[in-house]
Every structure is written in C-alpha cells, then in structure tokens.
Amino acid sequence: MKTKLITALVFGASSLVLSGCVLNVGEGDKGWSTGNSWERVQEQNRVNLSKLSLGMTRDQVMTLMGTADFNEAYTKQDKTINVLYYRTQRTREDGTTTKDECTPIVITDNRVVGWGEKAYHNM
C-alpha cells in the first residue's frame, strides 16, 4: 500500500512539472517561427529599397533597412566599399538565406552609390 501511494505521488508530481513544458519546432526559412514572417520581411525590405536614394549614409541605410543579412567591406583604389545584403526574394525552400536571395546595397566612402546586381558588379 505504501509503495502504491509513493508511486502515485511521484507520478502526480512529475506530471504537474512536465505539464508546463512546450516544444516549439520552427518551420520556414532561416528558423522563422511563424509561417509567413520571412515573406513579410522580404516585402518590407522591397518597400524600404524603394525609399533609398543615392548619397544616403550607411547609418541612414541601417536605420531604414535594419540589420543586413550579409555584409562585406573592402578597399578598392583607396576607396572604402561596403556592401549590405538584404533578403528580397526566395529562390529555394532550404531553410537558409543566401546572397542570391538578397539585394546588395553598395556604399562607397559612407555614401550609397547604388543597389542591385548591376551596382554590385560595376564596383
């Protein structure tokens, strides 16, 4: 009888403790937890790209666009070049963001000189 009582108490206590456990398995790209949040991010990035203008500073771009998915920096002919990549289109359903799914923003000496593949390849 004592063994049954102890077993019941242990089982009851453990079920109370474990009842608060939740397992959250994210789906979608880049670990996004809600179904279409990556689509909203892409759409917002496309909207924000339309608000860019040549000559904006890097800080202005970061304020408008937020943190880039990728970034590069290098020097070419004594000019500092930064390239910020923002996700704007999905090409594969593989759960990761790649540069080919992003639009590059090219910044030379702290000023936007262009965005998109043509701007990037002309550097």
Side-chain angles (χ1 to χ4, degrees):
M1 179 74 169
K2 199 174 193 179
T3 305
K4 287 184 180 181
L5 180 60
I6 291 172
T7 303
L9 288 173
V10 170
F11 179 74
S14 64
S15 65
L16 285 175
V17 171
L18 293 176
S19 67
C21 294
V22 176
L23 179 61
N24 183 9
V25 179
E27 293 182 16
D29 286 2
K30 202 176 176 183
W32 300 102
S33 60
T34 54
N36 295 329
S37 64
W38 61 267
E39 290 174 317
R40 288 191 298 275
V41 168
Q42 287 183 170
E43 178 60 28
Q44 188 61 52
N45 284 344
R46 287 191 296 266
V47 167
N48 288 341
L49 281 171
S50 71
K51 297 175 184 177
L52 283 179
S53 60
L54 296 174
M56 290 177 79
T57 66
R58 185 176 195 271
D59 287 342
Q60 289 172 319
V61 172
M62 299 286 293
T63 298
L64 175 65
M65 299 293 296
T67 303
D69 291 287
F70 301 97
N71 67 70
E72 298 175 347
Y74 58 94
T75 303
K76 182 178 179 181
Q77 299 173 352
D78 295 328
K79 292 184 178 191
T80 300
I81 300 171
N82 293 95
V83 184
L84 304 175
Y85 294 86
Y86 291 91
R87 182 181 173 139
T88 53
Q89 66 273 339
R90 181 180 187 181
T91 59
R92 286 176 301 285
E93 188 174 345
D94 60 1
T96 61
T97 298
T98 56
K99 284 184 183 177
D100 66 329
E101 295 175 317
C102 297
T103 298
I105 300 172
V106 181
I107 301 168
T108 301
D109 292 332
N110 201 36
R111 298 289 176 187
V112 173
V113 295
W115 56 91
E117 289 302 313
K118 189 172 185 175
Y120 179 73
H121 291 295
N122 283 338
M123 292 312 301

